[in-house]
């Protein structure tokens, strides 16, 4: 039986950038992709859709400014991409004190959001912003825990090494919906796809794609602003956290290439 993460966690993480990635200046490009991203070809998430584990990471404590996303895995913990942590540090100088918004679907209305401030954060020690195949995973901690409700609740961690190949999964995001756009969308977008077998994933990426052994692919089109967004498998027991959005190719959705995710089941020991 899978369980929610409630205990103390050890930490680490990253969202990669290829020109390979969804990264910004100074980050290796997985040849066309970057750390902030939005779902292209998705649809507006309905109010009935369970998105309660999703959070928005703001780069400012003065005014809400979405940069990346993440997934709640415990009352005091959020899992995100390491590249997102690096991006927050690059822009704000320090992640300590930056706010995280939970319980959102429409970013134009944050009145009912639960806002928590980061008191410490860790990325995987092997994460390398110049290597998209490195462990793009990180943990954020909050001294004031979330109040769990219908709108805010944790994702379920998978079993260690559990495979979701060929299963239909769901991803959410507030990133760009078109490569030509310059502002993140306000209404949460959702897209569904199957987790691709590794061989099929490699066939659909360039021959020199930096796909790591602990990464998976899905035929979704993440874009800037979608970094760190959860990829989940919906069950009666809850939303199982399959992946965290890591990298892809720019321009977003180019040649219908898949998006690459950090495979959470490969990091259960590290997380717990």
């Amino acid at each position: 039986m899978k369980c929610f993460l409630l205990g103390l966690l050890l930490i680490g993480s990253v969202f990669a950038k290829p020109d390979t990635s969804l990264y910004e200046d100074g980050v290796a490009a997985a040849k066309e992709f970057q750390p902030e991203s939005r779902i292209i070809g998705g649809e507006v998430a309905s109010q009935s859709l369970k998105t309660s584990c999703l959070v928005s990471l703001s780069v400012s404590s003065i005014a809400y400014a979405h940069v990346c996303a993440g997934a709640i895995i415990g009352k005091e913990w959020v899992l995100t991409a390491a590249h997102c942590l690096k991006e927050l540090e690059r822009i704000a100088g320090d992640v300590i004190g930056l706010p995280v918004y939970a319980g959102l679907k429409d970013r134009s209305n944050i009145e009912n959001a639960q806002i928590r401030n980061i008191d410490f954060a860790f990325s995987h020690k092997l994460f390398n912003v110049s290597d998209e195949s490195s462990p793009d995973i990180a943990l954020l901690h909050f001294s004031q825990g979330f109040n769990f409700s219908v709108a805010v609740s944790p994702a379920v961690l998978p079993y260690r090494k559990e495979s979701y190949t060929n299963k239909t999964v769901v991803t959410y995001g507030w990133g760009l919906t078109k490569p030509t756009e310059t502002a993140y969308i306000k209404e949460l977008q959702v897209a569904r796809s199957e987790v691709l077998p590794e061989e099929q994933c490699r066939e659909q990426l360039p021959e020199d794609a930096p796909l790591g052994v602990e990464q998976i692919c899905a035929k979704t089109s993440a874009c800037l602003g979608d970094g760190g967004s959860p990829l989940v498998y919906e069950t009666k027991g809850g939303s199982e956290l399959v992946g965290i959005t890591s990298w892809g190719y720019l321009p977003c959705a180019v040649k219908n290439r898949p998006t690459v995710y950090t495979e959470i089941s490969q990091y259960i020991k590290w997380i717990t």
Side-chain angles (χ1 to χ4, degrees), residues 2 156-159 161-169 194-196 216 232-233 235 240-243 263 265:
K2 299 180 178 67
V156 180
L157 291 177
Y159 292 123
K161 307 293 184 181
E162 183 168 6
S163 173
Y164 290 86
T165 300
N166 294 322
K167 290 186 176 181
T168 299
V169 290
E194 289 186 351
V195 175
L196 300 177
I216 54 175
V232 301
Y233 178 61
T235 72
E240 297 180 11
L241 189 57
V242 177
E263 186 175 17
S265 66

Side-chain angles (χ1 to χ4, degrees), residues 96-175:
I96 306 305
L98 291 181
V100 168
Y101 292 71
L104 288 179
K105 271 196 171 77
D106 185 347
R107 293 195 307 107
S108 64
N109 181 9
I110 61 173
E111 182 178 348
N112 296 320
Q114 289 189 34
I115 305 171
R116 300 294 183 265
N117 298 94
I118 301 169
D119 63 2
F120 66 89
F122 300 83
S123 292
H124 195 288
K125 66 180 181 181
L126 296 180
F127 172 67
N128 181 347
V129 73
S130 297
D131 179 5
E132 290 79 15
S133 67
S134 66
D136 190 8
I137 186 170
L139 283 166
L140 310 178
H141 182 266
F142 314 89
S143 57
Q144 180 186 1
F146 295 103
N147 297 319
F148 288 161
S149 64
V150 173
V152 178
S153 63
V156 180
L157 291 177
Y159 292 123
R160 188 178 180 190
K161 307 293 184 181
E162 183 168 6
S163 173
Y164 290 86
T165 300
N166 294 322
K167 290 186 176 181
T168 299
V169 290
V170 183
T171 190
Y172 320 105
W174 289 287

Side-chain angles (χ1 to χ4, degrees), residues 6 15 27 60 83 112 123 144-146 177 206 239 246 255 263:
L6 298 176
F15 184 106
V27 181
S60 171
H83 79 258
N112 296 320
S123 292
Q144 180 186 1
F146 295 103
T177 52
S239 301
S246 182
K255 298 182 179 178
E263 186 175 17

